[in-house]
Amino acid sequence: MTTNGITRNGGLQQAKAVDGREELDSPGIKVWRLVLTGGPCGGKTTAQNRLATFFESLGWRVFRVPETATILLNGGISFALLTDEQRLEFQENLLKTMFQIEDTYFSLATTQNRNCLVICDRGAMDCSAYLPRQDWEKILEKNNLNEVDIRDNRYSQVIHLVTAARGAEEHYTKSNNKARS
């Protein structure tokens, strides 16, 4: 079931619409929602590709959710040039956009006739890392969102990868992502 973009079924059961509302159905097909998070150059893209190849070889369907911030920033937004108010509005819209993009993949995953892995390049909690705590709480309150639901119930699993920019600086590069600054 979904409330304010928060999926409540843990990804282990299939949701189907009955009389205009979602109900859970468990036909034995798994939908696993996985987040890869961590700093830049942490191996998210490599991990996503390897996991996709592995699970596809097992017969799973794999969907790859792109990083929402990169999509928006590659559209010409320069985060460094935004005012504090604009940054807050950007982060709120980023979160809403992320929910919509993820929910599109999550919904499609429940219609598959085989197990499905949805790999998200970053998750909703990542937004909180780029804001002062009070701004994050404003966004949650304004949008009637619950941090515990986002953190604990939206995804089946979150894997945090450590960035090469921490301890292995010689391997850190900005060259593979134009949105990095």
Side-chain angles (χ1 to χ4, degrees), residues 161-175:
L161 301 168
V162 178
T163 178
R166 196 165 187 198
E169 293 82 0
E170 66 275 10
H171 298 289
Y172 177 77
T173 181
K174 295 179 183 178
S175 65

Side-chain angles (χ1 to χ4, degrees), residues 66-153:
E67 183 183 11
T68 307
T70 297
I71 294 169
L72 297 177
L73 293 171
N74 281 341
I77 296 170
S78 177
F79 201 73
L81 298 177
L82 300 178
T83 66
D84 288 345
E85 185 178 309
Q86 290 169 328
R87 275 191 214 105
L88 180 60
E89 184 176 1
F90 174 83
Q91 288 293 349
E92 180 180 356
N93 286 321
L94 172 80
L95 183 62
K96 290 177 185 178
T97 304
M98 182 182 289
F99 281 150
Q100 186 59 57
I101 292 171
E102 288 177 353
D103 286 346
T104 299
Y105 284 90
F106 295 164
S107 177
L108 187 59
T110 66
T111 68
Q112 301 304 297
N113 60 2
R114 57 184 164 155
N115 292 339
C116 187
L117 173 64
V118 182
I119 306 172
C120 302
D121 187 341
R122 298 196 177 272
M125 287 302 299
D126 283 63
C127 296
S128 68
Y130 295 91
L131 290 166
R133 180 71 188 172
Q134 66 271 17
D135 288 348
W136 171 245
E137 289 172 356
K138 283 180 196 173
I139 290 172
L140 294 175
E141 184 177 337
K142 181 178 176 186
N143 293 281
N144 196 29
L145 296 169
N146 182 298
E147 183 175 63
V148 174
D149 278 341
I150 296 170
R151 185 191 68 215
D152 296 349
N153 300 323

Side-chain angles (χ1 to χ4, degrees), residues 9-28:
N9 69 5
L12 297 176
Q13 296 176 312
Q14 189 172 19
K16 67 176 183 177
V18 177
D19 298 329
R21 66 185 196 285
E22 287 182 331
E23 290 194 357
L24 298 179
D25 187 23
S26 51

Side-chain angles (χ1 to χ4, degrees), residues 30-34 36 47-65 105-106 108-109 112-120:
K30 292 182 181 176
V31 174
W32 196 258
R33 296 183 309 265
L34 173 68
L36 298 175
Q48 187 178 59
N49 291 335
R50 289 188 180 170
L51 285 166
T53 299
F54 176 77
F55 277 90
E56 286 167 345
S57 76
L58 296 176
W60 284 53
R61 177 86 170 152
V62 178
F63 295 134
R64 300 171 193 184
V65 182
Y105 284 90
F106 295 164
L108 187 59
Q112 301 304 297
N113 60 2
R114 57 184 164 155
N115 292 339
C116 187
L117 173 64
V118 182
I119 306 172
C120 302

